[in-house]
Every structure is written in C-alpha cells, then in structure tokens.
Amino acid sequence: MENYLFELAHLVFRYFHVVAGIAWIGASFYFVWLDNNLQTPPQWKQDKGIRGDLWAIHGGGFYEVAKYQNGPEQMPSTLHWFKWEAYTTWISGVLLFSLLYYVGADVYLLDASKSELSKFAAIGASLGFIGLGYGVYRLLCKSPLVENGKAFIALSVGFLALWTYGVDQLFSDRAVYIHVGALIGTCMAGNVYHIIMPAQRYMVSEVEAGRIPDSAPGLKAKQCSVHNNYATLPVIFIMLSNHFSYTYSHEFGWLVLIGFFIIGMWIRHFFNLKHQGVNKPSVLISGIAAFFALMLAIAPWPSSTTHAGENAPLQASISDTQAWDIINKHCTQCHSETPTSKLFQTAPLGFKLDSLADVKKASALIHTRAVITKDMPLANMTKMTDAEREMLGSWLTTLKKEQ
C-alpha cells in the first residue's frame, strides 16, 4: 500500500504540474506574441493613452485588444491577473521534485560512482545549489549588464554551464537535468513573484489613486517576462529529457544539456522576431540544424564507444545461462510479474523479463539501456559491473546476428 500511495502522489503532482505548466507557458507565448504584434493605433486612441492595439479572430468571433502606455483613466470593475499559472506550476514542481529526488533520493538522486554523499547531505547540497543559482540570477538582473542583452545571455549561459557541471559531479545523470529545470523554473517563478507582480500592483494602485504610474517598474516586469519566454523551450525539453537516455547518460551529458538550452532559446528567438514582423528563416534553420548536429555528435558511433557493440570483439562462448544469470541478478528485481524490489509493486512501464524468451524479444532495448547508455539498472542499484555489461552486450550482439 505504501508503494501505491507513493505512485498515486507521483501521478497527482505530475498531472497538475503538466496542466499548470501548459497554462503558464501558453500565457507566456500569448502575451509576448501580443506585445510584439501591437500596431500604432489611430490618433483618437492615442489621445486616450493607448500605445498599441491589434485585431484578431478566434473561435468564431472578433477581438480588439489595446495596451495603454501607462494605464487607463480609471480601473475597470474586473481586471484579470495572470499569476497562479506560474505559482501552481512551481509549487506542483517542488512537490514532484521533492517526492522523486528527496524522498526517493537513494534511487533518483544519489550515484555512488560520482560521490559518497549521504542522503541528507545530498538533499542539502541540492537545495544549496538551487539557492545559489537563483541568488546569482537575481544579482545579474539587478546589475547594469541586464540592459545589454547579448552580454547578459552570454554571462548567464556561462554561469549555468559551470553550475550544471558542478551538479553533475555529485548527482545521478537524470537528476542533473531535472536540477537545471528546477533552477530555471525557480528563476521564472521568482520573476513573477519578485518583479512582475509588484510592478503590476504598483501600476494598479497608482491608477486607483488618480496618478500616472512611473513606466520603470512596468518595463522591468516586461524584461523579466521576456526572460521567462526565452526559457520556455529549454524547460519543456528538460521536462521530456528523462525519456531519452542518450542525452543525460552521455559522458558529457551536462554539456549536451547546455547545448539544448542554447538551441531552444535560439529557436524561440525566431518566433519572437517573426511576431515583430522580422522574418529570419536562417535563425530557425540554423537552430534545427544545430539540434540534429548535436544529436549526431552524441550518437553511439561504434568507433567512439567504449561498450560492447556490433564491431567490438566478442567474448568467447557467452551462454544463454550466463546471460540469464546477469539479467536475473540485475533486472528482474523490478522488471517482473512479481517484483522483489521495494520500489515497485508492478513492473515499470509494464516491461517484464520473466524468461529468456522475454529477454530475446526485448534484446534491442536491453542492449541500448544496459550496455550502450548504461542508465539501467536504475541508479545502478544492483551494482552491475562493466564486465557484466560487456558479457551481456556480447551475448546480445551474437543473438542479433543469429536472428
């Protein structure tokens, strides 16, 4: 029952995190698009303090949207705020992160091959890293450098690369990627809480008092909103990354992540430019090309791998019995009709290896996860050795040639 409740909490937190994230990212996309597409309004609107407007059609109706330079003459009776999308995403993300990487630290956070940290020391280091990263980001946003877009991006990405490398020295490969996501998500939510919302509350209070708001807080809020917008595609990739072991399990997985981060921002830049009427297909094409170039660079080419592959010399006479012994020792604790692992009551993803026939049917997947990327067994809890991986790889390669 305990494992079931753990899985139920996992489902609930992940479900709400995804739903809230869709709402937040959707709002970010829409409002940046909206701001970039505003047109100079007719003079009578400018006389009312309207800086830009646009017309749109959606869902069978026409919409007219206007943006004031500072604020309307008086506050409307109903004013829509956009904050709970961000807060709910961050809160549900914190709960999900804590459940998997703190409650489940022994499995998802720790990696004995990287460090000998205890569970509580690792959790403390994790919190410290995220706090440090957020503090540095806030300092950068307060510095004059924030007004120089290119320099700000270069320094921020450089710091993120060093930060990610540091995290990679302590935690499991999967945890590294999710820690970067947690840091970026915290910075994005922090922008809403510390900059955007105070600016909006100030503007409302000034209009209600009959005064013209100072434009500086609003401009700062817009700047942070743009930061959040450029971070959306990298964050979405991180949310999906655990499904692609070739990325996080690579020898330089931390650097691969930085590459994807830069590519995501660059592709987002294409759309932001396009919304302003600046069409630069070269930005999108180069971003897509960089993505595939990176994927080719991390591909497990036979000449560059250290694991047993199709071109590797096969060990002599690896029998079915020897292969099954390895599988039974390291895989069937979780992947079985009746798992013996305390972590799972049912086989993860329904993937079961209860017989040699099951193993042969899933030989390609086993070869990828246990021999090439080496991200299975999970966190190498059963301490599968390189020699065992080589033996298993040799047997699987022979099996493939016989099929």
Side-chain angles (χ1 to χ4, degrees):
M1 192 63 182
E2 181 181 349
N3 287 337
Y4 175 77
L5 293 176
F6 182 91
E7 287 298 312
L8 178 62
H10 182 182
L11 171 62
V12 171
F13 294 155
R14 187 174 294 276
Y15 182 82
F16 279 101
H17 185 58
V18 170
V19 171
I22 290 172
W24 186 14
I25 291 173
S28 173
F29 281 6
Y30 175 71
F31 278 103
V32 170
W33 172 88
L34 186 68
D35 207 58
N36 287 337
N37 279 277
L38 292 173
Q39 304 293 318
T40 301
Q43 188 59 48
W44 68 269
K45 285 189 175 182
Q46 294 184 46
D47 293 341
K48 293 180 61 176
I50 295 175
R51 193 190 76 181
D53 67 355
L54 65 80
W55 287 80
I57 185 169
H58 181 74
F62 292 94
Y63 296 82
E64 181 185 11
V65 183
K67 179 178 181 179
Y68 284 82
Q69 179 69 36
N70 296 305
E73 295 179 356
Q74 63 181 26
M75 292 303 301
S77 58
T78 301
L79 182 64
H80 297 283
W81 297 70
F82 292 83
K83 56 182 179 179
W84 287 109
E85 296 89 344
Y87 297 160
T88 305
T89 302
W90 187 79
I91 291 170
S92 59
V94 168
L95 293 173
L96 180 61
F97 182 87
S98 300
L99 179 69
L100 293 179
Y101 292 91
Y102 292 164
V103 176
D106 294 336
V107 177
Y108 295 102
L109 180 63
L110 299 174
D111 186 339
S113 67
K114 291 186 176 182
S115 69
E116 297 297 331
L117 289 175
S118 67
K119 178 177 179 178
F120 292 106
I123 293 172
S126 170
L127 292 170
F129 263 105
I130 294 173
L132 171 66
Y134 180 69
V136 170
Y137 173 71
R138 286 266 69 92
L139 289 174
L140 287 175
C141 287
K142 291 180 180 179
S143 72
L145 190 67
V146 75
E147 303 302 330
N148 186 331
K150 293 181 180 179
F152 179 82
I153 291 173
L155 186 59
S156 297
V157 172
F159 170 75
L160 182 63
L162 290 174
W163 188 93
T164 306
Y165 175 78
V167 172
D168 186 59
Q169 304 310 299
L170 296 179
F171 305 132
S172 70
D173 295 335
R174 289 189 181 198
V176 173
Y177 276 42
I178 300 302
H179 270 74
V180 174
L183 172 61
I184 297 172
T186 298
C187 291
M188 293 171 69
N191 281 339
V192 175
Y193 183 80
H194 287 121
I195 306 298
I196 297 173
M197 291 309 301
Q200 293 178 174
R201 284 193 289 268
Y202 160 77
M203 294 171 66
V204 169
S205 65
E206 289 296 285
V207 172
E208 289 178 336
R211 296 187 293 266
I212 298 177
D214 182 3
S215 61
L219 292 174
K220 188 69 175 179
K222 179 183 175 181
Q223 186 180 66
C224 287
S225 181
V226 172
H227 288 185
N228 284 2
N229 182 263
Y230 275 95
T232 51
L233 293 187
V235 165
I236 291 173
F237 166 77
I238 292 171
M239 291 175 70
L240 300 174
S241 64
N242 276 0
H243 296 284
F244 302 95
S245 57
Y246 283 108
T247 57
Y248 62 78
S249 64
H250 190 273
E251 179 184 3
F252 296 103
W254 67 273
L255 191 57
V256 172
L257 177 56
I258 297 301
F260 280 122
F261 185 87
I262 295 171
I263 292 168
M265 289 195 302
W266 186 240
I267 292 176
R268 186 67 225 161
H269 184 57
F270 164 79
F271 289 101
N272 287 341
L273 288 176
K274 190 173 185 297
H275 298 157
Q276 298 176 57
V278 180
N279 191 19
K280 287 190 174 182
S282 60
V283 175
L284 179 61
I285 293 171
S286 60
I288 294 173
F291 170 81
F292 284 106
L294 182 55
M295 293 304 294
L296 286 173
I298 66 174
W301 304 106
S303 60
S304 62
T305 55
T306 57
H307 56 75
E310 291 187 5
N311 294 342
L314 302 182
Q315 296 185 20
S317 62
I318 304 300
S319 67
D320 288 358
T321 300
Q322 289 175 297
W324 174 250
D325 287 343
I326 295 173
I327 292 290
N328 195 39
K329 178 181 178 182
H330 297 290
C331 306
T332 57
Q333 292 183 30
C334 300
H335 295 288
S336 172
E337 182 70 35
T338 55
T340 58
S341 171
K342 295 180 179 179
L343 298 173
F344 304 102
Q345 286 187 323
T346 59
L349 302 177
F351 184 61
K352 302 171 185 177
L353 300 172
D354 287 315
S355 68
L356 195 61
D358 292 337
V359 174
K360 291 181 178 180
K361 288 179 182 178
S363 60
L365 180 59
I366 296 171
H367 191 269
T368 296
R369 304 299 295 274
V371 181
I372 297 179
T373 63
K374 299 182 181 180
D375 67 311
M376 285 290 161
L378 187 63
N380 202 18
M381 293 182 294
T382 60
K383 303 189 185 314
M384 190 176 188
T385 66
D386 287 340
E388 287 174 317
R389 294 183 192 275
E390 290 176 7
M391 290 176 63
L392 183 60
S394 177
W395 180 78
L396 290 168
T397 302
T398 303
L399 181 64
K400 181 179 179 180
K401 291 182 178 180
E402 292 175 350
Q403 290 175 341

